Amino acid sequence: MNEIQVMESKEKAHGCKCEECILKNLIFNYVPDEDSYILCNVKREQSFKKGEIIVKQNSPIVDFFYIKSGIVKLSKVTESKRNHIISIAKPHDYTSLLTVFHGKNYAYTMTAIEYTEICIFPLNLIIDLVMRHGSFGIGLLKKSSKTADDIIDRFIQNNSRNLRGRIAMTLLDFSFNIYKSHIYELPVSRKEIAELIGMTTENVIRILSEFRKEKIIKINGKEIEIVDFERLKMISDRG
Amino acid sequence: MNEIQVMESKEKAHGCKCEECILKNLIFNYVPDEDSYILCNVKREQSFKKGEIIVKQNSPIVDFFYIKSGIVKLSKVTESKRNHIISIAKPHDYTSLLTVFHGKNYAYTMTAIEYTEICIFPLNLIIDLVMRHGSFGIGLLKKSSKTADDIIDRFIQNNSRNLRGRIAMTLLDFSFNIYKSHIYELPVSRKEIAELIGMTTENVIRILSEFRKEKIIKINGKEIEIVDFERLKMISDRG
DNA sequence: CGCGGCTTTGATGTTCATCAAGTAAAGTGG
DNA sequence: CCACTTTACTTGATGAACATCAAAGCCGCG
């Protein structure tokens, strides 16, 4: 038995490699060993390059997605053909909870905006597990209601700000909740920011330039550095 | 045994009076008889007059609410002291699903905007039932994800319309989804409409007046009559 | 190399919030 | 029940915020 074989055998014994990652997460805490074993054996793992579509709006729901690593955007086109970004999700953060339980087709398109690894489970299996383990259902309910509340909250926050406030909020959001750094590479285009916070691309650019001229941020293509954190926070709060 | 006593005895046998109403509803289908009996005995029913607060934002979560009859608004004040209406809920339509499973305090204030009857269950009981009946969990997940998706959708719809479009959408929404009539009494003030669709009270009034002058609707205080349905629909779609 | 998508800046006009001021309606306390 | 206060409703005028249009540079990709 070489080293790789030993490792593979260990993985089998524990169910699967991402067990630690999954167990850390709220949801999968609740399933007993023998079932998490099934869960692991049935799941398939798939990776997506920046820009690749994970699943398309309106395609029939068959799977349940879990973000293992990377960053994903959820978007939707309305009848008026306008594209809207609903949310930007990070690992463990969003797990395709919305829609899958009540709809026939996915309501949102999921796109990788960085290299992303997704764990894919047949929805039937998830439902079956909820049927057999109420506590798992509670876990999903918690996660799902949190996700929804967060999205709704972002909409309200967004709507009660002017454009400068929205951009400031978005920059701070990336800094705090995704990259945990005052300097980072924007994973989205100016156009996508516009679609996320409901304004035009031109004004996104214009306001980013304003912030640069006011020495609040430094811009280098997609790289953003927050220089004057206090002022950015103030603009986000007052705006 | 007089008639009333006979009826009361029948109710006990079935659990409780609203059993039919509850069973019609998605959620409570999934609980077996003996448990729905508990559910009925523990629940308390309470009625609220127009304008009365059912539960306040930030108060600790203890109960799970179910709208038996009436109309309810969900609202929230942001740090900037602005009030936002998240949703207007009708019977069976919304059951305080958001937040209750993940939060410690209610995220939204619930207010009766018409005479409303609410069934109140201790949240612990609901959680206990999900633990014991996975299918009930599925029911709640369905309902909760539907509710969230609807709210998110309304936000997107709203944000992609100009003010005339928003007002048109709102009037049609009341007509179709709540009153199922082309003539109805608005249950909310102009100010509340403004808080629901994110604009100023003055402009709500202004645009309602415009619609009146353009003979699209008739207004008599709170009474709205949709006269030119086609044009209203067009304004809602194009706006 | 050229095409399409992304980015940038400027000019222009529309949409909408804000301010102001007045009427009507609905509570409130004596 | 009436005077009083407050809240809801209404219209107009003004300016600010924002979308739209236009034009040009940039970059990656076939």
Side-chain angles (χ1 to χ4, degrees):
Chain A
M1 236 188 192
N2 63 28
E3 264 191 36
I4 291 175
Q5 281 171 327
V6 170
M7 278 183 62
E8 275 172 356
S9 138
K10 270 192 191 163
E11 282 162 23
K12 284 249 168 77
H14 284 82
C16 57
K17 223 201 299 195
C18 28
E19 189 166 15
E20 300 85 9
C21 125
I22 285 176
L23 284 181
K24 260 190 233 160
N25 184 280
L26 284 169
I27 296 176
F28 294 88
N29 269 327
Y30 303 99
V31 178
D33 278 356
E34 70 267 34
D35 274 325
S36 78
Y37 187 79
I38 296 175
L39 208 61
C40 289
N41 282 358
V42 173
K43 84 137 201 286
R44 54 186 212 280
E45 214 172 305
Q46 210 172 324
S47 67
F48 297 86
K49 278 181 255 174
K50 186 184 172 86
E52 277 188 318
I53 291 177
I54 297 163
V55 71
K56 272 197 172 166
Q57 177 181 357
N58 293 329
S59 63
I61 295 174
V62 271
D63 291 316
F64 181 92
F65 299 97
Y66 177 88
I67 305 171
K68 187 180 171 192
S69 73
I71 301 183
V72 159
K73 75 170 174 184
L74 262 81
S75 64
K76 170 173 198 148
V77 282
T78 49
E79 308 104 47
S80 52
K81 316 274 182 195
R82 276 240 292 264
N83 196 40
H84 297 260
I85 298 179
I86 279 73
S87 159
I88 291 185
K90 53 184 200 302
H92 321 301
D93 189 37
Y94 177 83
T95 50
S96 98
L97 284 170
L98 299 164
T99 314
V100 289
F101 290 106
H102 80 268
K104 286 222 183 326
N105 303 306
Y106 293 101
Y108 312 111
T109 296
M110 278 177 78
T111 312
I113 58 177
E114 282 188 358
Y115 176 81
T116 294
E117 293 169 296
I118 302 281
C119 299
I120 305 177
F121 307 90
L123 182 61
N124 285 340
L125 174 64
I126 301 289
I127 289 178
D128 181 59
L129 283 179
V130 174
M131 293 292 268
R132 286 190 289 117
H133 308 290
S135 53
F136 181 48
I138 297 284
L140 282 179
L141 275 167
K142 277 187 185 170
K143 188 76 176 157
S144 123
S145 63
K146 175 91 171 80
T147 302
D149 268 356
D150 285 349
I151 292 174
I152 291 170
D153 219 58
R154 220 189 51 78
F155 271 106
I156 295 173
Q157 294 294 337
N158 193 55
N159 288 349
S160 58
R161 279 172 167 79
N162 65 19
L163 298 197
R164 282 172 64 92
R166 292 183 195 182
I167 296 282
M169 180 181 84
T170 305
L171 292 179
L172 289 172
D173 188 45
F174 277 119
S175 169
F176 269 76
N177 299 326
I178 302 201
Y179 296 107
K180 305 185 193 308
S181 162
H182 68 113
I183 180 166
Y184 54 85
E185 196 87 1
L186 269 182
V188 288
S189 68
R190 314 292 197 246
K191 181 157 161 273
E192 285 171 311
I193 294 179
E195 288 170 354
L196 177 65
I197 57 186
M199 53 192 279
T200 57
T201 310
E202 292 95 321
N203 278 330
V204 171
I205 291 163
R206 226 183 295 275
I207 288 165
L208 283 173
S209 298
E210 280 176 28
F211 285 177
R212 177 172 45 72
K213 284 173 200 156
E214 296 167 19
K215 306 215 183 299
I216 299 170
I217 59 173
K218 281 183 186 164
I219 305 177
N220 194 346
K222 296 251 182 201
E223 191 186 275
I224 299 285
E225 181 183 349
I226 298 177
V227 179
D228 193 338
F229 174 82
E230 291 303 326
R231 283 201 54 201
L232 198 59
K233 184 91 180 67
M234 232 182 63
I235 292 168
S236 171
D237 288 345
R238 303 265 174 96
Chain B
M1 238 186 191
N2 63 28
E3 266 191 33
I4 291 173
Q5 281 171 328
V6 170
M7 278 184 63
E8 276 173 355
S9 137
K10 271 192 190 158
E11 281 162 22
K12 285 251 169 72
H14 284 82
C16 56
K17 223 200 301 197
C18 27
E19 188 166 16
E20 300 84 10
C21 126
I22 284 176
L23 283 181
K24 260 190 233 157
N25 183 279
L26 284 170
I27 296 176
F28 293 87
N29 269 326
Y30 303 100
V31 178
D33 278 354
E34 70 269 32
D35 274 325
S36 77
Y37 188 79
I38 295 175
L39 207 62
C40 288
N41 282 357
V42 172
K43 84 137 201 285
R44 54 186 210 280
E45 214 173 305
Q46 211 171 323
S47 67
F48 296 86
K49 278 180 255 174
K50 186 184 170 86
E52 278 188 319
I53 291 176
I54 297 163
V55 69
K56 272 196 171 167
Q57 178 181 357
N58 293 329
S59 62
I61 294 174
V62 272
D63 291 316
F64 181 93
F65 300 97
Y66 176 87
I67 305 172
K68 187 182 171 192
S69 73
I71 301 182
V72 158
K73 76 170 175 183
L74 262 82
S75 63
K76 169 170 197 149
V77 283
T78 49
E79 307 105 47
S80 51
K81 316 275 181 194
R82 275 240 292 263
N83 196 40
H84 297 261
I85 296 179
I86 278 73
S87 159
I88 291 185
K90 53 183 201 303
H92 321 301
D93 189 38
Y94 177 83
T95 50
S96 98
L97 284 171
L98 299 163
T99 314
V100 289
F101 290 105
H102 80 270
K104 285 222 184 323
N105 303 306
Y106 293 101
Y108 311 110
T109 296
M110 277 177 79
T111 312
I113 58 177
E114 282 189 357
Y115 176 82
T116 294
E117 294 169 296
I118 302 281
C119 299
I120 305 176
F121 307 91
L123 182 61
N124 285 341
L125 173 64
I126 301 288
I127 288 178
D128 181 58
L129 284 179
V130 174
M131 293 293 269
R132 286 191 288 116
H133 308 290
S135 52
F136 180 48
I138 297 285
L140 283 179
L141 275 167
K142 276 188 187 168
K143 187 77 177 156
S144 125
S145 63
K146 176 87 170 80
T147 302
D149 267 355
D150 285 348
I151 292 174
I152 292 170
D153 219 59
R154 220 189 50 78
F155 272 105
I156 294 172
Q157 293 295 336
N158 192 56
N159 288 349
S160 58
R161 278 171 168 80
N162 64 18
L163 299 197
R164 282 172 63 93
R166 293 182 195 182
I167 295 283
M169 179 181 86
T170 306
L171 293 179
L172 289 171
D173 188 45
F174 276 119
S175 169
F176 269 75
N177 298 325
I178 302 200
Y179 295 107
K180 306 187 192 307
S181 163
H182 68 113
I183 179 166
Y184 54 85
E185 195 87 1
L186 271 181
V188 288
S189 67
R190 316 293 198 245
K191 182 157 160 272
E192 285 171 312
I193 294 179
E195 288 169 354
L196 177 65
I197 57 187
M199 53 192 280
T200 58
T201 311
E202 291 97 319
N203 278 331
V204 172
I205 291 163
R206 225 183 296 275
I207 287 163
L208 283 174
S209 299
E210 281 177 27
F211 286 177
R212 177 174 45 74
K213 283 174 199 156
E214 297 167 18
K215 306 217 182 301
I216 299 170
I217 59 173
K218 282 184 186 162
I219 305 177
N220 194 346
K222 297 250 183 199
E223 192 186 273
I224 299 285
E225 182 184 348
I226 298 177
V227 180
D228 192 339
F229 174 82
E230 291 302 326
R231 283 202 54 201
L232 199 59
K233 184 92 179 69
M234 232 182 63
I235 293 168
S236 171
D237 289 345
R238 302 264 174 97

